[in-house]
Amino acid sequence: DGKRGENISHNARVIKNIPLKIDAQDVELLEVRGEVMISRERFEKINKQRFEEGKSLLANPRNTASGSLRMLDSEVVAQRKLEAFFYHVSIAQDLEGNSLLKTNLNSQQSQMDFIYKSGLKSTKGLSGVFASITEVLAFCKQWEAKRPEYNYDIDGMVIKVNAQKLHDLLGYTSHHPRWAIAFKFSAQQATTILENIEFQVGRTGIITPVAKLTPVQVAGVSVSSVSLFNQEFIEEKDIRLGDTVIVERAGDVIPYIARV
């Protein structure tokens, strides 16, 4: 409801790389943030098993990971072999209640080291600290180049200001911090066939043309229909039924027909 989330502790306990006890290194109160993921390799094995059992296939690793966390049966969750990556220390206080974010953990780099030494899986070794934005962008481009071979679905990088004191100075908007920004990779593309165009009538009476495609995998999602919000493009290029088209999708952006 914006204040209370679902209790998924029973499922977090069966994720093998989340230890039930950690070496908190004299920290009395600790809150770390992370994300639960499933590797491409593991996802393919799950779908292969489901196919052999005659079950419907799972859509993509991201939805599988988030859906698994909400399941009631922890045994099924354990079989899926989810993994957790931790990337941020939100609260760290010593025995006297003093914030360690102003002393020992006063940078992103020191927080990553702390998370790693605590026994939690972190992005240490996958990230870096740089002196200029040119170096930052070069590092992001390197990751974009090796993205197809990486064992996890990613759609970009997160660029953060290293110094914690600058986080406090820059502050937040109503929904995101000003000291972090996403570097989104270029859209992923796939080639398919335009089979049909249907017209859907919404509850307000608005008619929306929808392209029906031969199903194709784009950014980990099977796409079989796209909303033709760029209808003018279709008409301008004289795209007709049966034509081969290229579909683009960038992260969570709605897929669309990019070009013939």
Side-chain angles (χ1 to χ4, degrees):
D1 59 7
K3 294 182 179 179
R4 292 178 302 175
E6 295 180 68
N7 188 347
I8 59 167
S9 300
H10 61 293
N11 287 333
R13 288 176 178 272
V14 300
I15 299 175
K16 289 194 173 181
N17 74 333
I18 300 182
L20 299 182
K21 292 183 179 181
I22 65 170
D23 178 10
Q25 305 166 50
D26 298 324
V27 177
E28 179 67 16
L29 178 64
L30 176 67
E31 177 185 295
V32 292
R33 295 185 184 182
E35 186 167 343
V36 172
M37 304 176 70
I38 187 168
S39 68
R40 290 176 177 175
E41 181 182 11
R42 182 60 193 159
F43 176 74
E44 290 170 0
K45 288 181 179 179
I46 292 173
N47 262 349
K48 181 180 179 182
Q49 182 178 351
R50 291 178 69 88
F51 177 78
E52 293 171 350
E53 295 173 352
K55 298 179 180 178
S56 59
L57 300 184
L58 301 172
N60 56 68
R62 176 182 291 184
N63 290 357
T64 300
S66 61
S68 299
L69 286 176
R70 303 178 66 181
M71 297 178 73
L72 298 177
D73 191 346
S74 295
E75 290 188 13
V76 177
V77 178
Q79 292 170 6
R80 293 192 172 180
K81 298 182 180 178
L82 304 175
E83 298 175 74
F85 287 80
F86 295 90
Y87 55 81
H88 184 70
V89 177
S90 304
I91 300 172
Q93 295 179 359
D94 61 18
L95 291 169
E96 286 73 39
N98 301 312
S99 175
L100 297 174
L101 299 181
K102 296 181 180 179
T103 54
N104 300 21
L105 305 177
N106 61 359
S107 68
Q108 284 290 300
Q109 188 175 23
S110 61
Q111 290 179 20
M112 288 299 97
D113 291 339
F114 171 82
I115 290 172
Y116 178 78
K117 292 175 182 177
S118 297
L120 299 172
K121 190 167 187 175
S122 75
T123 53
K124 182 179 172 65
L126 304 174
S127 55
V129 181
F130 305 96
S132 70
I133 193 63
T134 302
E135 294 176 356
V136 170
L137 294 176
F139 184 74
C140 291
K141 288 295 185 181
Q142 288 174 14
W143 265 101
E144 185 170 22
K146 61 184 179 183
R147 170 192 188 186
E149 289 76 43
Y150 192 50
N151 200 23
Y152 301 90
D153 277 348
I154 54 174
D155 59 11
M157 309 286 285
V158 178
I159 302 170
K160 299 180 181 179
V161 175
N162 192 35
Q164 184 68 35
K165 63 180 180 181
L166 294 179
H167 292 196
D168 301 333
L169 181 65
L170 292 168
Y172 298 78
T173 68
S174 59
H175 57 81
H176 69 269
R178 291 193 178 95
W179 43 265
I181 191 170
F183 177 94
K184 291 292 186 179
F185 295 153
S186 57
Q188 290 185 272
Q189 299 180 342
T191 303
T192 187
I193 302 296
L194 176 62
E195 295 184 348
N196 197 10
I197 295 178
E198 299 179 356
F199 294 87
Q200 296 181 350
V201 181
R203 59 184 178 82
T204 59
I206 296 177
I207 299 175
T208 305
V210 178
K212 296 297 180 179
L213 313 171
T214 302
V216 63
Q217 287 285 325
V218 188
V221 176
S222 178
V223 176
S224 58
S225 43
V226 296
S227 176
L228 291 181
F229 59 84
N230 58 343
Q231 182 180 355
E232 297 81 4
F233 173 84
I234 303 295
E235 295 170 348
E236 177 188 343
K237 298 297 181 181
D238 195 26
I239 299 176
R240 300 173 181 271
L241 301 186
D243 283 352
T244 299
V245 294
I246 294 178
V247 182
E248 279 194 359
R249 185 175 189 271
D252 295 327
V253 175
I254 297 172
Y256 64 97
I257 293 177
R259 59 180 184 269
V260 180

